[in-house]
Amino acid sequence: MIPRTIIEPFRIKTVEPIHWSTREQREEFLQAAYYNLFLLPAEDVLIDLLTDSGINAMSTHQWAAVMMGDESYTGSSSFDRFRDSVQEIFGYKHVIPTHQGRAAERILFGTMCKRGDIIPSNSHYDTTRANIEFFGAEAMDLPIVEGTQLNAQHPFNGNMDVPLLEKIIERVGPRRIPLVMLTITNCPVGGQPVSMENVRQVNAVCRRHNIPLYFDACRFAENAWFIKTREPGYEQKTPREIALELFRLGDGCTMSAKKDGLSNIGGFLSTNDDRLAQQEKDLLILTEGYSTYGDLAARDLEAIAIGIHEAIDEEYLRYRISSVDYLCRHLAEAGLPVQQPAGGHAVYLDARAFLPHIPPPQYPGAALACEIYLEGGVRTSEIGTLMFSSAAKVDLVRFAIPRRVYTQSHFDYVVEVLAEVWKKRESIRGLRLTHEDVFMRHFTAHLEPIADAASPS
Ligand code: F0G
C-alpha cells in the first residue's frame, strides 16, 4: 500500500499541557498586554505560532545526549562531537560555537565589515541587517522581483537577483563589498527557497570578483528539501548531499541552531579562512566564551550535534514541509488570502487583502493578529506597518510553525479559528499606537483599538 497521509514521523513521549481560556478572558489578557501579542504571558496562549525559533521539540536521542555533556572548561569531548557533526553537513574547516545566530552575525561582521561597506544579500534578516548597520556598513537586499510579490508562482521565490548583484559590484567596486550573503531559506521573503542554480550563479559572480560568499543557514535543511522536490536533477539526491553541495559553493556560514538545529538555543559561525577564524575566535573569547563552547553549555552542543542531523533526515523533512503546506492549503481552500506556495517554516496571511477597510496606518496586520488570538487563543506575529513603520510594503500575519511541536489536529483547529475570523472580518477595527520605543518598536509597543473606523489613527 502507498499511504496517502503523511504522518508525524514520531510518537509522543512527554507532553506539555496547553491552557484553555474563554474569549472573555482573552479580551482581558489582550487589554492587559496593550494589544501587543509579544506582551502576552505565554501561558495565556493556546497555540503559539509567534516564531519557529527555539521552541522545537527535542528527540529522545537529543535528551540522552544532553546527559553526555562534558562540561570541562577546555578540551571538552562535547565540542569534538559538535564540530565533527557540523563539518559532516556543512563541510567548513572552522566551527565556532555561539549562543545563537545573531552572536555569529556580530562576530562575522565585526571581523569583516567596516564603515562604508556594502553587504548584498537575497534578503537580510532583521538582526543581520541591524548587526551590519551597527558596524557602519549598508545591508542591501537584492531579491528577484517575484520575491517582492505575494503569490508569484516561482519555485524559488527566495533567489537573489544575480544581474543586479553584478551591476552593484560594477557600480561600487568589489573593494567595498567584503562579502555577499545568501539567506536560506529566504526568511524575510516568506521562508521561500533558493535554488542550487541561483547559488551557483552567485558563486560565479563572487569568484570573478574575489568576494567571499557566506550563507545565513538557519533553515538550510528546509531549503535542501525544496531543491530536492523542485529543482530538476536533484530528485535522487538526499537532502544531506544537497546541503553539502550547496555549502561547497560558499566560504562559510552563520547558523542559528534554534531553527534547523532542532534545539532550544545555540548557533555557530563557520569559515574556511584560517586568518579570519583566528580573529573570530579572539572576538568570541572577549564576549561569548572560549572557542570550544562560545557561551553554550556542553549539553547544548550535544543537542545541536544530533539536531542538525535529525533536521536533514528525509522522513522528517517530508513531514515538516507537508505540514506547513497542509495549513497553507486549507486556509487557501477556505478562501483566505494566504501567500502561495507556502514557504518552509511559516504561512503568511495578507492582512491588507483580508481587511481592505483598515488602512496601513491603522495596522491591519496587528489588528488581524489580535482578532485571531481573541477568537481562538492562537498567537501569530505581524510583519508590516507596526514592524517597519511607513517603509512596510505589505502587511502580513505570520503563522510560524515550531518543529515537531504541533500535530495535524492543531492545524485543523487553526483553520477553524481563521474561518470564523474571516466571517466577521468587516467588524474588525484598526489599532492606534499609544506608546513606542526607539528600537524594534513592535516588541514593546502599546496599542488600543480604534472605536470607529472613521477615527484618526
Ligand atoms: N537569520 C534568520 C534568517 C533568522 O530567521 C533569524 C531568527 C536569525 C538569523 C537570528 O537568529 O534568533 O538565533 O539570533 N529568526 C527568528 C524568527 C527570531 O522568528 O524568525 P537568532
mmCIF file with all atom_site columns, all heavy atoms in Angstrom, residues 50-53 100-103 105 125 127-128 183 185 187-188 216 218-219 256 258-259 266 345 398, ligand 1:
data_model
loop_
_atom_site.group_PDB
_atom_site.id
_atom_site.type_symbol
_atom_site.label_atom_id
_atom_site.label_alt_id
_atom_site.label_comp_id
_atom_site.label_asym_id
_atom_site.label_entity_id
_atom_site.label_seq_id
_atom_site.pdbx_PDB_ins_code
_atom_site.Cartn_x
_atom_site.Cartn_y
_atom_site.Cartn_z
_atom_site.occupancy
_atom_site.B_iso_or_equiv
_atom_site.pdbx_formal_charge
_atom_site.auth_seq_id
_atom_site.auth_comp_id
_atom_site.auth_asym_id
_atom_site.auth_atom_id
_atom_site.pdbx_PDB_model_num
ATOM   1   N N   . LEU A 1 50  ? 4.048  32.266 17.188 1.00 0.00 ? 50  LEU A N   1
ATOM   2   C CA  . LEU A 1 50  ? 4.766  33.543 17.137 1.00 0.00 ? 50  LEU A CA  1
ATOM   3   C C   . LEU A 1 50  ? 6.085  33.390 16.376 1.00 0.00 ? 50  LEU A C   1
ATOM   4   O O   . LEU A 1 50  ? 6.501  34.266 15.644 1.00 0.00 ? 50  LEU A O   1
ATOM   5   C CB  . LEU A 1 50  ? 5.035  34.007 18.571 1.00 0.00 ? 50  LEU A CB  1
ATOM   6   C CG  . LEU A 1 50  ? 5.580  35.408 18.746 1.00 0.00 ? 50  LEU A CG  1
ATOM   7   C CD1 . LEU A 1 50  ? 4.526  36.453 18.431 1.00 0.00 ? 50  LEU A CD1 1
ATOM   8   C CD2 . LEU A 1 50  ? 6.075  35.616 20.178 1.00 0.00 ? 50  LEU A CD2 1
ATOM   9   N N   . THR A 1 51  ? 6.755  32.278 16.589 1.00 0.00 ? 51  THR A N   1
ATOM   10  C CA  . THR A 1 51  ? 8.039  32.047 15.918 1.00 0.00 ? 51  THR A CA  1
ATOM   11  C C   . THR A 1 51  ? 8.276  30.543 15.808 1.00 0.00 ? 51  THR A C   1
ATOM   12  O O   . THR A 1 51  ? 7.659  29.748 16.532 1.00 0.00 ? 51  THR A O   1
ATOM   13  C CB  . THR A 1 51  ? 9.204  32.701 16.701 1.00 0.00 ? 51  THR A CB  1
ATOM   14  O OG1 . THR A 1 51  ? 10.440 32.384 16.046 1.00 0.00 ? 51  THR A OG1 1
ATOM   15  C CG2 . THR A 1 51  ? 9.285  32.223 18.131 1.00 0.00 ? 51  THR A CG2 1
ATOM   16  N N   . ASP A 1 52  ? 9.196  30.170 14.907 1.00 0.00 ? 52  ASP A N   1
ATOM   17  C CA  . ASP A 1 52  ? 9.637  28.767 14.830 1.00 0.00 ? 52  ASP A CA  1
ATOM   18  C C   . ASP A 1 52  ? 11.009 28.635 15.491 1.00 0.00 ? 52  ASP A C   1
ATOM   19  O O   . ASP A 1 52  ? 11.682 27.624 15.333 1.00 0.00 ? 52  ASP A O   1
ATOM   20  C CB  . ASP A 1 52  ? 9.742  28.327 13.359 1.00 0.00 ? 52  ASP A CB  1
ATOM   21  C CG  . ASP A 1 52  ? 10.797 29.123 12.606 1.00 0.00 ? 52  ASP A CG  1
ATOM   22  O OD1 . ASP A 1 52  ? 10.891 30.348 12.811 1.00 0.00 ? 52  ASP A OD1 1
ATOM   23  O OD2 . ASP A 1 52  ? 11.552 28.529 11.809 1.00 0.00 ? 52  ASP A OD2 1
ATOM   24  N N   . SER A 1 53  ? 11.423 29.689 16.213 1.00 0.00 ? 53  SER A N   1
ATOM   25  C CA  . SER A 1 53  ? 12.801 29.749 16.699 1.00 0.00 ? 53  SER A CA  1
ATOM   26  C C   . SER A 1 53  ? 12.916 29.362 18.164 1.00 0.00 ? 53  SER A C   1
ATOM   27  O O   . SER A 1 53  ? 12.318 30.018 19.027 1.00 0.00 ? 53  SER A O   1
ATOM   28  C CB  . SER A 1 53  ? 13.330 31.170 16.515 1.00 0.00 ? 53  SER A CB  1
ATOM   29  O OG  . SER A 1 53  ? 14.645 31.257 16.977 1.00 0.00 ? 53  SER A OG  1
ATOM   30  N N   . GLN A 1 100 ? 23.662 32.056 19.815 1.00 0.00 ? 100 GLN A N   1
ATOM   31  C CA  . GLN A 1 100 ? 22.593 31.937 18.815 1.00 0.00 ? 100 GLN A CA  1
ATOM   32  C C   . GLN A 1 100 ? 23.044 32.632 17.548 1.00 0.00 ? 100 GLN A C   1
ATOM   33  O O   . GLN A 1 100 ? 24.191 33.080 17.453 1.00 0.00 ? 100 GLN A O   1
ATOM   34  C CB  . GLN A 1 100 ? 21.250 32.434 19.342 1.00 0.00 ? 100 GLN A CB  1
ATOM   35  C CG  . GLN A 1 100 ? 21.171 33.847 19.845 1.00 0.00 ? 100 GLN A CG  1
ATOM   36  C CD  . GLN A 1 100 ? 19.782 34.133 20.422 1.00 0.00 ? 100 GLN A CD  1
ATOM   37  O OE1 . GLN A 1 100 ? 19.515 33.796 21.557 1.00 0.00 ? 100 GLN A OE1 1
ATOM   38  N NE2 . GLN A 1 100 ? 18.911 34.760 19.641 1.00 0.00 ? 100 GLN A NE2 1
ATOM   39  N N   . GLY A 1 101 ? 22.133 32.721 16.567 1.00 0.00 ? 101 GLY A N   1
ATOM   40  C CA  . GLY A 1 101 ? 22.528 33.215 15.247 1.00 0.00 ? 101 GLY A CA  1
ATOM   41  C C   . GLY A 1 101 ? 23.094 34.616 15.262 1.00 0.00 ? 101 GLY A C   1
ATOM   42  O O   . GLY A 1 101 ? 24.116 34.902 14.630 1.00 0.00 ? 101 GLY A O   1
ATOM   43  N N   . ARG A 1 102 ? 22.445 35.516 16.002 1.00 0.00 ? 102 ARG A N   1
ATOM   44  C CA  . ARG A 1 102 ? 22.871 36.912 15.948 1.00 0.00 ? 102 ARG A CA  1
ATOM   45  C C   . ARG A 1 102 ? 24.258 37.118 16.550 1.00 0.00 ? 102 ARG A C   1
ATOM   46  O O   . ARG A 1 102 ? 24.948 38.074 16.189 1.00 0.00 ? 102 ARG A O   1
ATOM   47  C CB  . ARG A 1 102 ? 21.820 37.813 16.590 1.00 0.00 ? 102 ARG A CB  1
ATOM   48  C CG  . ARG A 1 102 ? 21.614 37.626 18.045 1.00 0.00 ? 102 ARG A CG  1
ATOM   49  C CD  . ARG A 1 102 ? 20.279 38.186 18.488 1.00 0.00 ? 102 ARG A CD  1
ATOM   50  N NE  . ARG A 1 102 ? 19.163 37.377 18.001 1.00 0.00 ? 102 ARG A NE  1
ATOM   51  C CZ  . ARG A 1 102 ? 17.876 37.685 18.204 1.00 0.00 ? 102 ARG A CZ  1
ATOM   52  N NH1 . ARG A 1 102 ? 17.566 38.775 18.833 1.00 0.00 ? 102 ARG A NH1 1
ATOM   53  N NH2 . ARG A 1 102 ? 16.934 36.890 17.763 1.00 0.00 ? 102 ARG A NH2 1
ATOM   54  N N   . ALA A 1 103 ? 24.700 36.256 17.445 1.00 0.00 ? 103 ALA A N   1
ATOM   55  C CA  . ALA A 1 103 ? 26.053 36.363 18.001 1.00 0.00 ? 103 ALA A CA  1
ATOM   56  C C   . ALA A 1 103 ? 27.064 36.002 16.913 1.00 0.00 ? 103 ALA A C   1
ATOM   57  O O   . ALA A 1 103 ? 28.124 36.631 16.787 1.00 0.00 ? 103 ALA A O   1
ATOM   58  C CB  . ALA A 1 103 ? 26.198 35.438 19.204 1.00 0.00 ? 103 ALA A CB  1
ATOM   59  N N   . GLU A 1 105 ? 26.530 36.473 13.781 1.00 0.00 ? 105 GLU A N   1
ATOM   60  C CA  . GLU A 1 105 ? 26.492 37.616 12.854 1.00 0.00 ? 105 GLU A CA  1
ATOM   61  C C   . GLU A 1 105 ? 27.381 38.750 13.365 1.00 0.00 ? 105 GLU A C   1
ATOM   62  O O   . GLU A 1 105 ? 28.144 39.346 12.614 1.00 0.00 ? 105 GLU A O   1
ATOM   63  C CB  . GLU A 1 105 ? 25.054 38.141 12.730 1.00 0.00 ? 105 GLU A CB  1
ATOM   64  C CG  . GLU A 1 105 ? 24.124 37.183 12.003 1.00 0.00 ? 105 GLU A CG  1
ATOM   65  C CD  . GLU A 1 105 ? 22.642 37.505 12.228 1.00 0.00 ? 105 GLU A CD  1
ATOM   66  O OE1 . GLU A 1 105 ? 22.331 38.517 12.889 1.00 0.00 ? 105 GLU A OE1 1
ATOM   67  O OE2 . GLU A 1 105 ? 21.796 36.722 11.750 1.00 0.00 ? 105 GLU A OE2 1
ATOM   68  N N   . TYR A 1 125 ? 17.957 39.126 7.204  1.00 0.00 ? 125 TYR A N   1
ATOM   69  C CA  . TYR A 1 125 ? 17.046 39.064 8.350  1.00 0.00 ? 125 TYR A CA  1
ATOM   70  C C   . TYR A 1 125 ? 17.283 40.321 9.217  1.00 0.00 ? 125 TYR A C   1
ATOM   71  O O   . TYR A 1 125 ? 18.347 40.922 9.163  1.00 0.00 ? 125 TYR A O   1
ATOM   72  C CB  . TYR A 1 125 ? 17.310 37.768 9.146  1.00 0.00 ? 125 TYR A CB  1
ATOM   73  C CG  . TYR A 1 125 ? 16.360 37.629 10.309 1.00 0.00 ? 125 TYR A CG  1
ATOM   74  C CD1 . TYR A 1 125 ? 15.008 37.414 10.081 1.00 0.00 ? 125 TYR A CD1 1
ATOM   75  C CD2 . TYR A 1 125 ? 16.800 37.760 11.619 1.00 0.00 ? 125 TYR A CD2 1
ATOM   76  C CE1 . TYR A 1 125 ? 14.125 37.336 11.143 1.00 0.00 ? 125 TYR A CE1 1
ATOM   77  C CE2 . TYR A 1 125 ? 15.919 37.666 12.686 1.00 0.00 ? 125 TYR A CE2 1
ATOM   78  C CZ  . TYR A 1 125 ? 14.579 37.455 12.437 1.00 0.00 ? 125 TYR A CZ  1
ATOM   79  O OH  . TYR A 1 125 ? 13.710 37.386 13.484 1.00 0.00 ? 125 TYR A OH  1
ATOM   80  N N   . THR A 1 127 ? 18.024 40.935 12.360 1.00 0.00 ? 127 THR A N   1
ATOM   81  C CA  . THR A 1 127 ? 19.198 41.019 13.238 1.00 0.00 ? 127 THR A CA  1
ATOM   82  C C   . THR A 1 127 ? 20.470 41.120 12.393 1.00 0.00 ? 127 THR A C   1
ATOM   83  O O   . THR A 1 127 ? 21.445 41.758 12.809 1.00 0.00 ? 127 THR A O   1
ATOM   84  C CB  . THR A 1 127 ? 19.316 39.787 14.160 1.00 0.00 ? 127 THR A CB  1
ATOM   85  O OG1 . THR A 1 127 ? 19.367 38.604 13.361 1.00 0.00 ? 127 THR A OG1 1
ATOM   86  C CG2 . THR A 1 127 ? 18.145 39.705 15.123 1.00 0.00 ? 127 THR A CG2 1
ATOM   87  N N   . THR A 1 128 ? 20.454 40.496 11.220 1.00 0.00 ? 128 THR A N   1
ATOM   88  C CA  . THR A 1 128 ? 21.615 40.553 10.327 1.00 0.00 ? 128 THR A CA  1
ATOM   89  C C   . THR A 1 128 ? 21.804 42.002 9.865  1.00 0.00 ? 128 THR A C   1
ATOM   90  O O   . THR A 1 128 ? 22.900 42.564 9.937  1.00 0.00 ? 128 THR A O   1
ATOM   91  C CB  . THR A 1 128 ? 21.391 39.637 9.101  1.00 0.00 ? 128 THR A CB  1
ATOM   92  O OG1 . THR A 1 128 ? 20.666 38.493 9.499  1.00 0.00 ? 128 THR A OG1 1
ATOM   93  C CG2 . THR A 1 128 ? 22.690 39.242 8.456  1.00 0.00 ? 128 THR A CG2 1
ATOM   94  N N   . THR A 1 183 ? 20.557 34.114 2.292  1.00 0.00 ? 183 THR A N   1
ATOM   95  C CA  . THR A 1 183 ? 19.761 33.626 3.417  1.00 0.00 ? 183 THR A CA  1
ATOM   96  C C   . THR A 1 183 ? 18.926 32.444 2.924  1.00 0.00 ? 183 THR A C   1
ATOM   97  O O   . THR A 1 183 ? 18.104 32.594 2.010  1.00 0.00 ? 183 THR A O   1
ATOM   98  C CB  . THR A 1 183 ? 18.834 34.753 3.935  1.00 0.00 ? 183 THR A CB  1
ATOM   99  O OG1 . THR A 1 183 ? 19.632 35.906 4.178  1.00 0.00 ? 183 THR A OG1 1
ATOM   100 C CG2 . THR A 1 183 ? 18.128 34.353 5.209  1.00 0.00 ? 183 THR A CG2 1
ATOM   101 N N   . THR A 1 185 ? 16.462 29.211 4.078  1.00 0.00 ? 185 THR A N   1
ATOM   102 C CA  . THR A 1 185 ? 15.573 29.808 3.104  1.00 0.00 ? 185 THR A CA  1
ATOM   103 C C   . THR A 1 185 ? 15.515 31.311 3.349  1.00 0.00 ? 185 THR A C   1
ATOM   104 O O   . THR A 1 185 ? 15.992 31.782 4.375  1.00 0.00 ? 185 THR A O   1
ATOM   105 C CB  . THR A 1 185 ? 14.144 29.255 3.261  1.00 0.00 ? 185 THR A CB  1
ATOM   106 O OG1 . THR A 1 185 ? 13.727 29.472 4.642  1.00 0.00 ? 185 THR A OG1 1
ATOM   107 C CG2 . THR A 1 185 ? 14.068 27.765 3.011  1.00 0.00 ? 185 THR A CG2 1
ATOM   108 N N   . CYS A 1 187 ? 14.089 34.003 4.721  1.00 0.00 ? 187 CYS A N   1
ATOM   109 C CA  . CYS A 1 187 ? 13.100 34.245 5.783  1.00 0.00 ? 187 CYS A CA  1
ATOM   110 C C   . CYS A 1 187 ? 12.297 35.523 5.563  1.00 0.00 ? 187 CYS A C   1
ATOM   111 O O   . CYS A 1 187 ? 11.065 35.504 5.635  1.00 0.00 ? 187 CYS A O   1
ATOM   112 C CB  . CYS A 1 187 ? 13.807 34.244 7.136  1.00 0.00 ? 187 CYS A CB  1
ATOM   113 S SG  . CYS A 1 187 ? 12.768 34.669 8.514  1.00 0.00 ? 187 CYS A SG  1
ATOM   114 N N   . PRO A 1 188 ? 12.952 36.665 5.260  1.00 0.00 ? 188 PRO A N   1
ATOM   115 C CA  . PRO A 1 188 ? 12.151 37.876 5.079  1.00 0.00 ? 188 PRO A CA  1
ATOM   116 C C   . PRO A 1 188 ? 11.202 37.794 3.886  1.00 0.00 ? 188 PRO A C   1
ATOM   117 O O   . PRO A 1 188 ? 10.263 38.551 3.782  1.00 0.00 ? 188 PRO A O   1
ATOM   118 C CB  . PRO A 1 188 ? 13.206 38.965 4.860  1.00 0.00 ? 188 PRO A CB  1
ATOM   119 C CG  . PRO A 1 188 ? 14.452 38.410 5.445  1.00 0.00 ? 188 PRO A CG  1
ATOM   120 C CD  . PRO A 1 188 ? 14.388 36.933 5.209  1.00 0.00 ? 188 PRO A CD  1
ATOM   121 N N   . ASP A 1 216 ? 23.502 32.589 5.409  1.00 0.00 ? 216 ASP A N   1
ATOM   122 C CA  . ASP A 1 216 ? 22.752 32.595 6.661  1.00 0.00 ? 216 ASP A CA  1
ATOM   123 C C   . ASP A 1 216 ? 21.955 31.298 6.583  1.00 0.00 ? 216 ASP A C   1
ATOM   124 O O   . ASP A 1 216 ? 20.952 31.195 5.865  1.00 0.00 ? 216 ASP A O   1
ATOM   125 C CB  . ASP A 1 216 ? 21.848 33.829 6.723  1.00 0.00 ? 216 ASP A CB  1
ATOM   126 C CG  . ASP A 1 216 ? 20.933 33.822 7.947  1.00 0.00 ? 216 ASP A CG  1
ATOM   127 O OD1 . ASP A 1 216 ? 20.732 32.733 8.527  1.00 0.00 ? 216 ASP A OD1 1
ATOM   128 O OD2 . ASP A 1 216 ? 20.395 34.881 8.312  1.00 0.00 ? 216 ASP A OD2 1
ATOM   129 N N   . CYS A 1 218 ? 20.212 29.340 8.686  1.00 0.00 ? 218 CYS A N   1
ATOM   130 C CA  . CYS A 1 218 ? 19.234 28.942 9.727  1.00 0.00 ? 218 CYS A CA  1
ATOM   131 C C   . CYS A 1 218 ? 18.290 27.820 9.289  1.00 0.00 ? 218 CYS A C   1
ATOM   132 O O   . CYS A 1 218 ? 17.983 26.923 10.059 1.00 0.00 ? 218 CYS A O   1
ATOM   133 C CB  . CYS A 1 218 ? 18.360 30.126 10.112 1.00 0.00 ? 218 CYS A CB  1
ATOM   134 S SG  . CYS A 1 218 ? 19.226 31.466 10.847 1.00 0.00 ? 218 CYS A SG  1
ATOM   135 N N   . ARG A 1 219 ? 17.814 27.905 8.041  1.00 0.00 ? 219 ARG A N   1
ATOM   136 C CA  . ARG A 1 219 ? 16.806 26.925 7.597  1.00 0.00 ? 219 ARG A CA  1
ATOM   137 C C   . ARG A 1 219 ? 17.339 26.149 6.388  1.00 0.00 ? 219 ARG A C   1
ATOM   138 O O   . ARG A 1 219 ? 16.637 25.929 5.399  1.00 0.00 ? 219 ARG A O   1
ATOM   139 C CB  . ARG A 1 219 ? 15.489 27.651 7.330  1.00 0.00 ? 219 ARG A CB  1
ATOM   140 C CG  . ARG A 1 219 ? 14.968 28.370 8.594  1.00 0.00 ? 219 ARG A CG  1
ATOM   141 C CD  . ARG A 1 219 ? 13.647 29.078 8.385  1.00 0.00 ? 219 ARG A CD  1
ATOM   142 N NE  . ARG A 1 219 ? 13.180 29.696 9.616  1.00 0.00 ? 219 ARG A NE  1
ATOM   143 C CZ  . ARG A 1 219 ? 13.495 30.939 10.017 1.00 0.00 ? 219 ARG A CZ  1
ATOM   144 N NH1 . ARG A 1 219 ? 14.288 31.702 9.280  1.00 0.00 ? 219 ARG A NH1 1
ATOM   145 N NH2 . ARG A 1 219 ? 13.029 31.400 11.154 1.00 0.00 ? 219 ARG A NH2 1
ATOM   146 N N   . SER A 1 256 ? 21.769 29.689 13.152 1.00 0.00 ? 256 SER A N   1
ATOM   147 C CA  . SER A 1 256 ? 21.012 29.661 14.405 1.00 0.00 ? 256 SER A CA  1
ATOM   148 C C   . SER A 1 256 ? 20.484 28.249 14.570 1.00 0.00 ? 256 SER A C   1
ATOM   149 O O   . SER A 1 256 ? 19.632 27.806 13.787 1.00 0.00 ? 256 SER A O   1
ATOM   150 C CB  . SER A 1 256 ? 19.852 30.650 14.351 1.00 0.00 ? 256 SER A CB  1
ATOM   151 O OG  . SER A 1 256 ? 18.968 30.397 15.422 1.00 0.00 ? 256 SER A OG  1
ATOM   152 N N   . LYS A 1 258 ? 18.550 27.299 16.635 1.00 0.00 ? 258 LYS A N   1
ATOM   153 C CA  . LYS A 1 258 ? 17.180 27.380 17.156 1.00 0.00 ? 258 LYS A CA  1
ATOM   154 C C   . LYS A 1 258 ? 16.153 27.097 16.058 1.00 0.00 ? 258 LYS A C   1
ATOM   155 O O   . LYS A 1 258 ? 14.972 27.004 16.331 1.00 0.00 ? 258 LYS A O   1
ATOM   156 C CB  . LYS A 1 258 ? 16.937 28.765 17.762 1.00 0.00 ? 258 LYS A CB  1
ATOM   157 C CG  . LYS A 1 258 ? 17.891 29.074 18.916 1.00 0.00 ? 258 LYS A CG  1
ATOM   158 C CD  . LYS A 1 258 ? 17.792 30.509 19.385 1.00 0.00 ? 258 LYS A CD  1
ATOM   159 C CE  . LYS A 1 258 ? 16.564 30.713 20.230 1.00 0.00 ? 258 LYS A CE  1
ATOM   160 N NZ  . LYS A 1 258 ? 16.582 32.051 20.870 1.00 0.00 ? 258 LYS A NZ  1
ATOM   161 N N   . LYS A 1 259 ? 16.627 27.015 14.813 1.00 0.00 ? 259 LYS A N   1
ATOM   162 C CA  . LYS A 1 259 ? 15.721 26.675 13.704 1.00 0.00 ? 259 LYS A CA  1
ATOM   163 C C   . LYS A 1 259 ? 16.035 25.240 13.263 1.00 0.00 ? 259 LYS A C   1
ATOM   164 O O   . LYS A 1 259 ? 15.658 24.286 13.932 1.00 0.00 ? 259 LYS A O   1
ATOM   165 C CB  . LYS A 1 259 ? 15.875 27.678 12.553 1.00 0.00 ? 259 LYS A CB  1
ATOM   166 C CG  . LYS A 1 259 ? 15.231 29.020 12.828 1.00 0.00 ? 259 LYS A CG  1
ATOM   167 C CD  . LYS A 1 259 ? 16.151 29.943 13.533 1.00 0.00 ? 259 LYS A CD  1
ATOM   168 C CE  . LYS A 1 259 ? 15.658 31.344 13.674 1.00 0.00 ? 259 LYS A CE  1
ATOM   169 N NZ  . LYS A 1 259 ? 16.474 32.120 14.592 1.00 0.00 ? 259 LYS A NZ  1
ATOM   170 N N   . GLY A 1 266 ? 21.469 28.122 20.778 1.00 0.00 ? 266 GLY A N   1
ATOM   171 C CA  . GLY A 1 266 ? 22.738 27.790 20.141 1.00 0.00 ? 266 GLY A CA  1
ATOM   172 C C   . GLY A 1 266 ? 22.841 28.220 18.699 1.00 0.00 ? 266 GLY A C   1
ATOM   173 O O   . GLY A 1 266 ? 21.855 28.585 18.052 1.00 0.00 ? 266 GLY A O   1
ATOM   174 N N   . HIS A 1 345 ? 8.853  27.363 6.703  1.00 0.00 ? 345 HIS A N   1
ATOM   175 C CA  . HIS A 1 345 ? 8.658  27.375 8.153  1.00 0.00 ? 345 HIS A CA  1
ATOM   176 C C   . HIS A 1 345 ? 7.438  28.146 8.593  1.00 0.00 ? 345 HIS A C   1
ATOM   177 O O   . HIS A 1 345 ? 7.167  28.221 9.791  1.00 0.00 ? 345 HIS A O   1
ATOM   178 C CB  . HIS A 1 345 ? 9.893  27.970 8.840  1.00 0.00 ? 345 HIS A CB  1
ATOM   179 C CG  . HIS A 1 345 ? 10.038 29.454 8.600  1.00 0.00 ? 345 HIS A CG  1
ATOM   180 N ND1 . HIS A 1 345 ? 10.439 29.983 7.395  1.00 0.00 ? 345 HIS A ND1 1
ATOM   181 C CD2 . HIS A 1 345 ? 9.818  30.522 9.400  1.00 0.00 ? 345 HIS A CD2 1
ATOM   182 C CE1 . HIS A 1 345 ? 10.472 31.299 7.475  1.00 0.00 ? 345 HIS A CE1 1
ATOM   183 N NE2 . HIS A 1 345 ? 10.094 31.654 8.680  1.00 0.00 ? 345 HIS A NE2 1
ATOM   184 N N   . ARG A 1 398 ? 2.081  36.359 10.228 1.00 0.00 ? 398 ARG A N   1
ATOM   185 C CA  . ARG A 1 398 ? 2.883  35.145 10.050 1.00 0.00 ? 398 ARG A CA  1
ATOM   186 C C   . ARG A 1 398 ? 2.454  34.073 11.041 1.00 0.00 ? 398 ARG A C   1
ATOM   187 O O   . ARG A 1 398 ? 2.395  34.324 12.236 1.00 0.00 ? 398 ARG A O   1
ATOM   188 C CB  . ARG A 1 398 ? 4.364  35.479 10.263 1.00 0.00 ? 398 ARG A CB  1
ATOM   189 C CG  . ARG A 1 398 ? 5.267  34.254 10.134 1.00 0.00 ? 398 ARG A CG  1
ATOM   190 C CD  . ARG A 1 398 ? 6.734  34.588 10.283 1.00 0.00 ? 398 ARG A CD  1
ATOM   191 N NE  . ARG A 1 398 ? 7.173  34.627 11.671 1.00 0.00 ? 398 ARG A NE  1
ATOM   192 C CZ  . ARG A 1 398 ? 8.446  34.546 12.068 1.00 0.00 ? 398 ARG A CZ  1
ATOM   193 N NH1 . ARG A 1 398 ? 9.408  34.444 11.171 1.00 0.00 ? 398 ARG A NH1 1
ATOM   194 N NH2 . ARG A 1 398 ? 8.763  34.598 13.336 1.00 0.00 ? 398 ARG A NH2 1
HETATM 195 N N1  . F0G B 2 .   ? 18.735 34.728 10.386 1.00 0.00 ? 1   F0G B N1  1
HETATM 196 C C1  . F0G B 2 .   ? 17.466 34.388 10.116 1.00 0.00 ? 1   F0G B C1  1
HETATM 197 C C2  . F0G B 2 .   ? 17.073 34.095 8.693  1.00 0.00 ? 1   F0G B C2  1
HETATM 198 C C3  . F0G B 2 .   ? 16.520 34.300 11.147 1.00 0.00 ? 1   F0G B C3  1
HETATM 199 O O1  . F0G B 2 .   ? 15.258 33.955 10.862 1.00 0.00 ? 1   F0G B O1  1
HETATM 200 C C4  . F0G B 2 .   ? 16.933 34.573 12.480 1.00 0.00 ? 1   F0G B C4  1
HETATM 201 C C5  . F0G B 2 .   ? 15.972 34.496 13.583 1.00 0.00 ? 1   F0G B C5  1
HETATM 202 C C6  . F0G B 2 .   ? 18.278 34.908 12.703 1.00 0.00 ? 1   F0G B C6  1
HETATM 203 C C7  . F0G B 2 .   ? 19.155 34.978 11.638 1.00 0.00 ? 1   F0G B C7  1
HETATM 204 C C8  . F0G B 2 .   ? 18.801 35.209 14.085 1.00 0.00 ? 1   F0G B C8  1
HETATM 205 O O2  . F0G B 2 .   ? 18.961 34.039 14.793 1.00 0.00 ? 1   F0G B O2  1
HETATM 206 O O3  . F0G B 2 .   ? 17.387 34.310 16.721 1.00 0.00 ? 1   F0G B O3  1
HETATM 207 O O4  . F0G B 2 .   ? 19.266 32.652 16.801 1.00 0.00 ? 1   F0G B O4  1
HETATM 208 O O5  . F0G B 2 .   ? 19.746 35.072 16.932 1.00 0.00 ? 1   F0G B O5  1
HETATM 209 N N2  . F0G B 2 .   ? 14.717 34.436 13.395 1.00 0.00 ? 1   F0G B N2  1
HETATM 210 C C9  . F0G B 2 .   ? 13.654 34.261 14.399 1.00 0.00 ? 1   F0G B C9  1
HETATM 211 C C10 . F0G B 2 .   ? 12.308 34.417 13.745 1.00 0.00 ? 1   F0G B C10 1
HETATM 212 C C11 . F0G B 2 .   ? 13.837 35.009 15.664 1.00 0.00 ? 1   F0G B C11 1
HETATM 213 O O6  . F0G B 2 .   ? 11.292 34.453 14.493 1.00 0.00 ? 1   F0G B O6  1
HETATM 214 O O7  . F0G B 2 .   ? 12.232 34.439 12.512 1.00 0.00 ? 1   F0G B O7  1
HETATM 215 P P1  . F0G B 2 .   ? 18.832 34.020 16.414 1.00 0.00 ? 1   F0G B P1  1
#
